[in-house]
Amino acid sequence: MGARLVVVDDSAEFRAQILALLVEEGYEVVGVAPDGRSAVAVVARTRPDAVLLDIQLPDTSGFDVARELKHAAPDARVILISSREAADYGDRLVRAGIPFIAKNDVSGVSLAAAIGTDR
Amino acid sequence: MNRRLILVGFIGAAVMVFTVWVAALINQDPDVSYASPADFIRRIVVNGAFVFVGCVLWARRPDNRIGPLLVIYAFAWIIGGNLAPAAGENLPLWAGHITSAVSALYGIPLVWLIVSFPTGKLVRGIDRAAVGLVALDATVQGAMRVIGYYIESAGRFWSRYYPVPNGVVALFVLCIVVIRLRRASPVERRGLTPVWVASGTLALIFIASGIQTLAIALTSKQAYALASSLDYASMLIPIAYGTGLLRLRSRRAGVGKLIIELSDQPAPGKLREALVRTLGDPSLELAFWFPDAQSYVDLDGKPFHVPDQDPARAITVLERGGERLAAIVFDATLAEAPELVASVGAAASLALDNERLHAAVRAQLEEVRASRQRIIEAADDERRRVERNIHDGAQQRLMALSLALRRAQRKVADDVGAAEAIIAEAAAELSIAVSELRELARGIHPPILTDDGLGPALQALVDRSSPPARLAIDPIGRLTPAVEVTAYYMATEALTNAARYANASEVSIDVHRDEEVLIVEIRDDGPGGADPSKGSGLRGLADRVAAVGGHLHVDSPPGGGTRLTATLPCA
């Protein structure tokens, strides 16, 4: 069985595609959330191994959600995703110390590297 | 001062002379020589001065009560000071009682004069209280003299203590005067000289009568000397009002100098200085009417608030040919010299053009600065909106698309059918993304406007519009890009507003060319009530129209639909 994941993204089209991809790659998607507030609740309830977290959410920023998740679910590994490039965030990504994948680079390989295949 | 006024003054004074003569005939007390020639002359001079000035003021300003008050005071004083003292011996008893009863009434017009300057009207409650108090005191004084005639002990008591209630009244009035002087503006303080003089006289009357009865036993000769010096001192009151008149006349002479000075077309800023000098009011302000904004501005073109609710400030609006030019805001005390202010205003109108032009240029500059700022902000907002639209719309679709293609790529080797399905889905997604981008690009700048001009672009806009829209356009040909974009932008803004706020069931767009201007008129049948100063949309539209040298008129009565009319120069 693959890692248990939660996907947080406000775009329905993108969510649909990434869910299909994750299932095809053998992951188990245990929850989805369209915004930051429900993301924290879903993660706290489902206790996933990893969270794919969009940075640009309608109610808050993925950085803020990641900070909250550190307390709410310290075991969940957070991977930030965005339709922007890493360079668009300056050194915020480095300072946050969270792995990042640009949405157009999301693939089985990049996900496996970020989530870690040891599980 | 014209002849008629002087005549009125002399008639009044003649009546006074006759009264004094009658009083002297009645009142022949050998002890205090009430009928001596010196005494007779003093009464004529002092009371004549009161009546003369009073009558002149009365005739000159019938609505001002200072004149009648001066006259009333003089006659009341003749009765109180000349008739009453010896009335008991020279008049029948009943007449003596009447003169005694009214003998102290002169205090009423005196206090009234002091507290009501410069209008003669009792406006404030405390002023009315002062007059009420002195009226009570005067009545009690008169009554006690009559009572004292019959009851000896009461008479003795009163002849000793009558200055006490007088003193209370005098102190009360002096307090009012001191408070008024402390609160007065510089101009007002200068104008309050008559109040000083009158209240000083009041104080002297009180002190004199106090000395006479409370402290020292004066001989009747000393008492008489004191009374006559006091009488002469009271002449300061009409003299103060008389010089007030003269000062106004000398300021009038200043108007002549002002006209000469202003005929030289002074440099901006000098006009106010000249007005301050002529009217003697350093607090004077000059505001210029700025027709573009329908409001007043100062010399630097900054908005100027005309204080129309402030009782301490008076306003004179300067007009020429019914057209408002400017306003002078000055100390309300000066409003008591309306002829002076009017002639100063007339003189100022002559030299106003330079300063008005200066103020208008500054105000326009301010307006241009502000609109430039707003245009930049609107452009920045627009860029942010476009970025967000791209990010939320097409970009998300393309991201999803790239995922779909990666999935298809993985499947194509071992599950061609699944890969095909994914690719078909992706193709559909791609065509949505493309049309979204197209829509967005058209919102930024419609290619049809650049390629085919305003008419076809508006027609395309009307065809796509969600509230049904109707277009009537003359064949206007191609115009400058700036004018075409502005007219087009106006139509999109109006359609957006009609759809979003106005709930309009129909919008009509009329475009025609009148020689060198393009007139765009857009009407909807929505609820109206649009305010360009509130919504940033209409404000931005007005700025855009102004930027190409045009003018936007918004007519949006509540319940009456909205009509936008833009005139755009297109020579």
Side-chain angles (χ1 to χ4, degrees):
Chain A
M1 199 62 188
R4 300 167 72 251
L5 297 182
V6 165
V7 174
V8 184
D9 195 305
D10 62 323
S11 158
E13 295 86 14
F14 186 81
R15 273 202 316 264
Q17 287 301 331
I18 199 155
L19 287 189
L21 177 76
L22 289 171
V23 170
E24 284 158 13
E25 293 292 327
Y27 296 100
E28 184 192 354
V29 179
V30 293
V32 290
D35 54 44
R37 184 202 285 245
S38 56
V40 177
V42 168
V43 170
R45 195 180 65 234
T46 55
R47 299 270 155 200
D49 300 315
V51 182
L52 289 181
L53 177 59
D54 191 11
I55 292 177
Q56 276 146 299
L57 294 169
D59 57 341
T60 176
S61 137
F63 289 106
D64 294 335
V65 178
R67 212 168 298 127
E68 276 189 61
L69 289 182
K70 210 171 258 178
H71 299 287
D75 296 338
R77 187 171 167 76
V78 174
I79 298 121
L80 289 171
I81 54 174
S82 171
S83 49
R84 295 184 182 162
E85 288 184 292
D88 289 333
Y89 297 103
D91 62 348
R92 288 184 74 186
L93 283 169
V94 180
R95 274 189 288 132
I98 303 173
F100 171 82
I101 311 174
K103 283 186 185 176
N104 54 321
D105 288 335
V106 171
S107 67
V109 179
S110 62
L111 281 172
I115 296 165
T117 42
D118 48 314
R119 283 174 192 268
Chain B
M1 219 184 292
N2 61 35
R3 242 185 234 157
R4 192 180 67 88
L5 292 178
I6 293 175
L7 187 67
V8 169
F10 275 121
I11 292 172
V15 174
M16 171 49 72
V17 171
F18 179 72
T19 313
V20 172
W21 180 64
V22 171
L25 279 186
I26 296 168
N27 211 343
Q28 293 178 356
D29 184 340
D31 275 0
V32 289
S33 14
Y34 268 104
S36 73
D39 182 63
F40 188 70
I41 288 167
R42 172 170 58 80
R43 283 172 207 286
I44 288 174
V45 170
V46 173
N47 294 297
F50 268 96
V51 177
F52 180 82
V53 174
C55 285
V56 169
L57 279 176
W58 197 347
R60 188 189 158 89
R61 304 281 302 281
D63 58 324
N64 187 309
R65 293 183 190 160
I66 294 292
L69 282 170
L70 283 170
V71 174
I72 292 169
Y73 171 73
F75 282 95
W77 178 244
I78 286 290
I79 293 168
N82 293 27
L83 272 180
E89 289 149 41
N90 301 302
L91 288 176
L93 189 59
W94 61 268
H97 282 342
I98 291 177
T99 48
S100 292
V102 300
S103 62
L105 293 186
Y106 65 86
I108 302 173
L110 182 63
V111 168
W112 195 318
L113 273 170
I114 295 170
V115 296
S116 71
F117 185 81
T119 59
K121 288 178 184 119
L122 298 173
V123 183
R124 295 171 305 176
I126 191 147
D127 299 343
R128 286 199 208 102
V131 172
L133 201 60
V134 71
L136 179 70
D137 178 38
T139 313
V140 171
Q141 297 279 0
M144 285 308 289
R145 276 182 208 173
V146 178
I147 292 167
Y149 181 85
Y150 295 103
I151 306 168
E152 206 191 325
S153 59
R156 260 206 317 279
F157 171 81
W158 195 249
S159 65
R160 186 158 177 76
Y161 291 108
Y162 79 88
V164 175
N166 283 349
V168 172
V169 174
L171 268 177
F172 187 66
V173 172
L174 284 174
C175 283
I176 295 179
V177 170
V178 169
I179 291 169
R180 262 193 91 175
L181 281 167
R182 284 179 59 123
R183 286 191 187 157
S185 61
V187 187
E188 214 180 338
R189 202 166 292 159
R190 232 173 320 150
L192 285 175
T193 317
V195 177
W196 266 128
V197 173
S199 53
T201 307
L202 178 76
L204 281 177
I205 290 174
F206 162 62
I207 292 165
S209 62
I211 288 171
Q212 224 169 314
T213 51
L214 285 178
I216 318 155
L218 295 174
T219 64
S220 61
K221 272 222 157 66
Q222 286 169 319
Y224 174 72
L226 186 66
S228 18
S229 4
L230 192 56
D231 211 14
Y232 272 120
S234 74
M235 251 180 89
L236 283 170
I237 298 175
I239 288 172
Y241 281 99
T243 47
L245 276 176
L246 282 177
R247 202 177 55 203
L248 236 82
R249 279 171 65 78
S250 72
R251 291 233 177 265
R252 273 277 177 75
V255 176
K257 261 175 25 198
L258 178 70
I259 293 174
I260 294 167
E261 196 175 336
L262 296 183
S263 64
D264 212 18
Q265 290 295 323
K270 296 287 177 201
L271 177 58
R272 186 190 157 266
E273 285 175 23
L275 295 179
V276 165
R277 235 178 299 123
T278 311
L279 286 173
D281 176 8
S283 76
L284 180 141
E285 292 164 294
L286 192 56
F288 303 92
W289 183 247
F290 185 48
D292 288 13
Q294 289 291 297
S295 63
Y296 284 103
V297 295
D298 66 9
L299 189 60
D300 293 328
K302 301 239 160 53
F304 181 92
H305 172 66
V306 171
D308 47 2
Q309 300 293 325
D310 187 350
R313 308 293 286 161
I315 301 157
T316 288
V317 175
L318 306 182
E319 293 181 336
R320 190 187 296 151
E323 185 198 346
R324 194 176 340 187
L325 301 178
I328 307 177
V329 181
F330 50 94
D331 196 289
T333 317
L334 280 174
E336 285 305 311
E339 306 95 336
L340 175 67
V341 173
S343 47
V344 166
S349 314
L350 299 173
L352 214 51
D353 291 339
N354 255 356
E355 304 227 337
R356 271 184 72 218
L357 196 63
H358 188 269
V361 167
R362 292 294 184 91
Q364 269 154 1
L365 194 63
E366 277 299 307
E367 173 56 27
V368 166
R369 263 193 207 128
S371 77
R372 190 165 61 187
Q373 176 86 23
R374 287 196 301 269
I375 287 171
I376 290 170
E377 280 166 11
D380 289 347
D381 283 350
E382 186 62 15
R383 281 157 184 259
R384 269 193 290 277
R385 195 182 66 82
V386 168
E387 193 275 341
R388 209 164 38 240
N389 276 357
I390 294 174
H391 174 263
D392 293 348
Q395 199 175 19
Q396 294 291 357
R397 289 190 194 282
L398 291 175
M399 295 298 159
L401 203 59
S402 86
L403 274 189
L405 290 177
R406 275 183 215 284
R407 285 172 52 218
Q409 188 185 19
R410 293 276 295 247
K411 298 249 161 156
V412 76
D414 41 65
D415 189 351
V416 181
E420 238 180 279
I422 294 172
I423 291 170
E425 203 184 308
E429 194 73 4
L430 185 57
S431 78
I432 297 174
V434 167
S435 70
E436 271 183 7
L437 277 177
R438 207 182 278 138
E439 186 69 28
L440 196 64
R442 192 164 47 212
I444 297 169
H445 187 94
I448 190 171
L449 187 61
T450 319
D451 297 343
D452 301 336
L454 184 59
L458 285 179
Q459 191 57 57
L461 187 66
V462 162
D463 291 344
R464 283 200 315 274
S465 170
S466 75
R470 187 185 58 74
L471 175 69
I473 184 165
D474 289 350
I476 47 173
R478 295 305 302 263
L479 307 165
T480 60
V483 170
E484 286 187 336
V485 170
T486 304
Y488 182 84
Y489 177 79
M490 182 177 159
T492 57
E493 183 70 28
L495 288 174
T496 309
N497 284 350
R500 197 186 304 164
Y501 310 112
N503 257 330
S505 63
E506 202 193 31
V507 181
S508 70
I509 302 176
D510 276 281
V511 182
H512 59 276
R513 194 174 174 164
D514 188 3
E515 306 220 336
E516 294 186 341
V517 285
L518 183 75
I519 297 161
V520 184
E521 188 183 282
I522 305 177
R523 270 170 308 188
D524 69 46
D525 56 359
D531 185 353
S533 66
K534 295 215 179 93
S536 67
L538 280 181
R539 186 79 208 235
L541 187 57
D543 285 340
R544 276 191 92 134
V545 170
V548 296
H551 183 76
L552 178 73
H553 180 74
V554 179
D555 183 19
S556 186
T562 298
R563 188 171 67 181
L564 305 177
T565 313
T567 45
L568 306 166
C570 58

